[in-house]
Amino acid sequence: MSITADLLRGNTDIILLARLSQSDSYGYEINKEISEITDGAFEIKEATLYSAFRRLEKNGLIESYWGNQQTGARRRYYKITPSGSAQLQTMVAEWEDATRLIGKLIKGETDHERTN
Amino acid sequence: MKEQIRFYVDGLFAEIPPSAESEAMKFELLDSLVNKYDDYINMGISEQVAYSKVVNSVGDFSEISRELQRNISVVDPLASPDAFYARQERRHKRHAILLSVGIGLYVISLAAVIAIPSELGVVMMFVIAAIATVMVILANTLYGKKNSIKQGEQFVEDFQTWRQENDEKVKTRKLFESAFWIIITVIYLIVSFLTGAWHITWIIFLLGASLSELIKGILLLNNPKKSDS
């Protein structure tokens, strides 16, 4: 369980970027969805979330705007930028590489032991 | 309980000098927490438990707090509250001058038509009134609420307005005011029907206005309001 929590926390950026690449959203909604999708296993702390938002925005990967009465009251919405999308692709590719390699390493060791 | 949440957020931001950025984040965080709280309540969780869950959901705020304090001089040129409010004040002054001159011109336009009893007088009235209208519209467009402050700063205004409007005291006061005026109207109608002196009884409304101001004054003297600025 602790590896899961650490992994999730360490990958907040890619998780947020991936969510924003689907559609614009705001802090509360994103947090709630993450909770629901993971069946409550992962709940981001507000501080972590807003830290991540500020960081991503400072690096130009997302930008924020304020909603109006129509889109949902005075809320701060976040949207992914083109460079954010590009970065997301890179991160996803790296993620898939990493998980594949780690998977290999975990399985590889057991195979190796068996053949020896 | 929601008041508690607001106080909690105020506490988190206590060390941080107000800036457009910090007020915006405060607003955002508060909105988020209140929504979370409502969700818990709707799930049937008790107020106390919901509140502590919400507080626990914030996590370690110290890093954000440090960043906001550190970044202030670099990121936000209007960060100093003094600069911000000075700028607001100048805009409000210009707005007030433009608006009052405009309205004054309306009155002068009437004087024109009285002073010059001919078509010329009527034309002058319309011309002066037109100028007045232009000034009023300009005042509102240039310095009106929605325009004179950028989005981020709009947040400081909106947030403070939101805070004031949601103040329990303000809500109670508004309730009392409505009740007061309904009662005044009822008194006016009763007295007027009884005495038939409709040509005098309208004074009751003026008396009502004075009475209301008097009551407000007394209340202010007894409980000086906390200043929000």
Side-chain angles (χ1 to χ4, degrees), chain B residues 179-198 200-209 211:
Chain B
F180 178 82
W181 284 107
I182 294 177
I183 293 176
I184 293 281
T185 311
V186 167
I187 293 180
Y188 165 73
L189 289 173
I190 293 180
V191 172
S192 305
F193 275 118
L194 282 181
T195 65
W198 293 90
I200 310 179
T201 52
W202 53 267
I203 289 201
I204 290 179
F205 284 111
L206 292 184
L207 290 174
L211 188 61

Side-chain angles (χ1 to χ4, degrees), chain A residues 5-115:
Chain A
D6 284 340
L7 267 178
L8 287 167
R9 212 177 311 122
N11 286 290
T12 309
D13 285 5
I14 186 177
I15 293 174
L16 291 178
L17 285 176
R19 169 58 187 81
L20 289 176
S21 70
Q22 294 170 22
S23 72
D24 297 358
S25 186
Y26 56 101
Y28 166 72
E29 183 179 71
I30 293 180
N31 207 347
K32 192 165 176 201
E33 282 177 14
I34 291 180
S35 217
E36 284 172 359
I37 294 178
T38 63
D39 281 323
F42 188 35
E43 280 185 37
I44 314 189
K45 297 287 187 192
E46 299 285 329
T48 318
L49 190 64
Y50 289 113
S51 256
F53 279 144
R54 291 186 79 235
R55 195 171 2 107
L56 291 170
E57 194 165 11
K58 261 197 186 110
N59 294 333
L61 301 177
I62 63 176
E63 54 188 25
S64 64
Y65 59 93
W66 296 96
N68 49 38
Q69 258 65 31
Q70 284 79 39
T71 62
R74 285 298 226 156
R75 266 194 208 117
R76 192 177 213 167
Y77 284 86
Y78 295 95
K79 75 185 282 191
I80 194 169
T81 62
S83 66
S85 301
Q87 178 75 347
L88 175 62
Q89 280 186 341
T90 316
M91 288 169 104
V92 169
E94 283 175 358
W95 168 262
E96 285 170 351
D97 270 347
T99 44
R100 184 173 42 87
L101 289 173
I102 294 180
K104 268 171 88 170
L105 288 170
I106 296 178
K107 275 177 58 187
E109 226 154 283
T110 7
D111 283 353
H112 215 224
E113 276 169 6
R114 252 187 262 125
T115 53

Side-chain angles (χ1 to χ4, degrees), chain B residues 6-97:
Chain B
R6 205 191 83 191
F7 288 143
Y8 175 68
V9 172
D10 281 349
L12 285 177
F13 280 81
E15 302 289 304
I16 303 172
S19 68
E21 202 185 357
S22 76
E23 289 291 305
M25 183 171 284
K26 212 179 187 179
F27 189 83
E28 205 180 347
L29 181 62
L30 184 60
D31 188 46
S32 203
L33 292 183
V34 167
N35 281 332
K36 263 193 184 161
Y37 176 81
D38 285 339
D39 280 352
Y40 286 136
I41 296 288
N42 287 338
M43 290 200 276
I45 297 182
S46 79
E47 285 194 356
Q48 304 294 338
V49 176
Y51 173 75
S52 59
K53 269 173 163 319
V54 160
V55 164
N56 285 333
S57 79
V58 174
D60 184 8
F61 206 68
S62 58
E63 196 191 308
I64 294 189
S65 179
R66 259 177 280 128
E67 262 190 57
L68 282 174
Q69 291 181 60
R70 209 190 318 134
N71 282 345
I72 285 217
S73 47
V74 175
V75 168
D76 197 337
L78 283 176
S80 118
D82 294 322
F84 175 70
Y85 289 117
R87 193 176 127 169
Q88 286 278 68
E89 222 187 287
R90 276 186 302 227
R91 292 202 106 102
H92 284 155
K93 266 196 195 139
R94 280 181 218 146
H95 175 99
I97 292 177

